[in-house]
Amino acid sequence: MNFTDAPSLENQFVRLEQLCQTHQDDLAAAVAAEELWRTWYTHVPSPEAMTGEIERRLALHAEGRMVPWAIIDQASARAVGMTTYLNLEPANRRLEIGSTWIGSTAQGTGINAAAKMLLLQRAFEELGCIAVEFRTHWHNHQSRRAIERLGAKQDGVLRNHTIFENGTVRDTVVFSIVEAEWPTVKFGLAERLDPRNR
């Protein structure tokens, strides 16, 4: 298995398709709701910047540095967000799941958990990863809670890690799931996604 491959991944809630420009209109509409891109501690593209962001992610994919997917809501068949594998380290059998955003109307619907289930299954069961990492902004409490709900554990905080375009400095919170934890994490995600528990 190649870490840079971008196969379609699917379950009853979401389909992850390799990102392409045909997703642009859906993705622009997804960020337009509640002006998601204005959140100061995230890197969500504006509707006008969506084409450029898709091009940027595809260029990084061509360089072997990122694997970008569009997140498709199975119920509507529309793209509602983006996600990626990045910081690919095949030699160390690890990668990061990140650069993820989901439109506000799709948040809290189980789509994030369903997408993470697919990405984690591929990482641990197909690519043979021994660790999967997640990173987020210290001030992005919603993202931090979502990562913790997956079953990831906090590794630490990288202080003064990234300078944002708005001049603020990001402290980056690092989480991970390791290979031995995956069976329990998978069980927990399956329980969350079971329609009987929703």
Side-chain angles (χ1 to χ4, degrees):
M1 291 290 179
N2 192 325
F3 272 46
T4 59
D5 289 345
S8 291
L9 307 171
E10 187 170 8
N11 58 30
Q12 68 185 96
F13 301 101
V14 297
R15 184 173 67 258
L16 302 182
E17 296 178 354
Q18 184 172 346
L19 183 67
C20 64
Q21 288 295 349
T22 59
H23 297 119
Q24 192 274 336
D25 289 344
D26 283 354
L27 293 172
V31 294
E34 299 183 24
E35 299 187 330
L36 185 64
W37 78 93
R38 295 191 188 276
T39 309
W40 68 272
Y41 48 75
T42 64
H43 284 247
V44 177
S46 68
E48 296 75 24
M50 193 61 66
T51 297
E53 177 60 12
I54 293 170
E55 289 173 355
R56 184 186 77 83
R57 293 186 185 212
L58 293 177
L60 289 172
H61 187 214
E63 294 170 10
R65 296 171 54 200
M66 175 183 278
V67 184
W69 283 277
I71 302 170
I72 313 297
D73 177 2
Q74 292 280 39
S76 67
R78 295 177 63 89
V80 296
M82 296 179 176
T83 193
T84 74
Y85 283 164
L86 64 162
N87 292 322
L88 309 173
E89 296 185 46
N92 293 315
R93 293 170 49 203
R94 62 183 298 135
L95 54 78
E96 178 187 344
I97 295 173
S99 293
T100 301
W101 63 264
I102 295 173
S104 57
T105 58
Q107 293 176 14
T109 63
I111 284 176
N112 182 56
K116 293 300 193 296
M117 172 70 101
L118 291 170
L119 293 169
L120 287 164
Q121 278 183 299
R122 174 165 171 75
F124 286 114
E125 298 176 14
E126 297 179 25
L127 298 177
C129 286
I130 61 171
V132 173
E133 189 174 292
F134 303 85
R135 296 183 176 205
T136 193
H137 197 298
W138 174 264
H139 287 283
N140 194 342
H141 298 289
Q142 180 180 353
S143 176
R144 288 168 63 183
R145 287 191 302 271
I147 293 168
E148 289 170 350
R149 279 197 308 272
L150 294 174
K153 294 181 173 62
Q154 183 174 317
D155 294 326
V157 181
L158 303 175
R159 305 291 305 279
N160 279 6
H161 184 239
T162 308
I163 300 173
F164 269 38
E165 297 83 357
N166 61 12
T168 63
V169 179
R170 166 173 141 160
D171 287 348
T172 299
V173 189
V174 183
F175 297 83
S176 66
I177 297 169
V178 298
E179 184 179 27
E181 297 166 341
W182 168 235
T184 302
V185 169
K186 182 178 182 180
F187 183 85
L189 281 169
E191 284 291 295
R192 280 177 63 186
L193 295 170
D194 189 325
R196 295 171 297 182
N197 299 327
R198 297 174 59 78

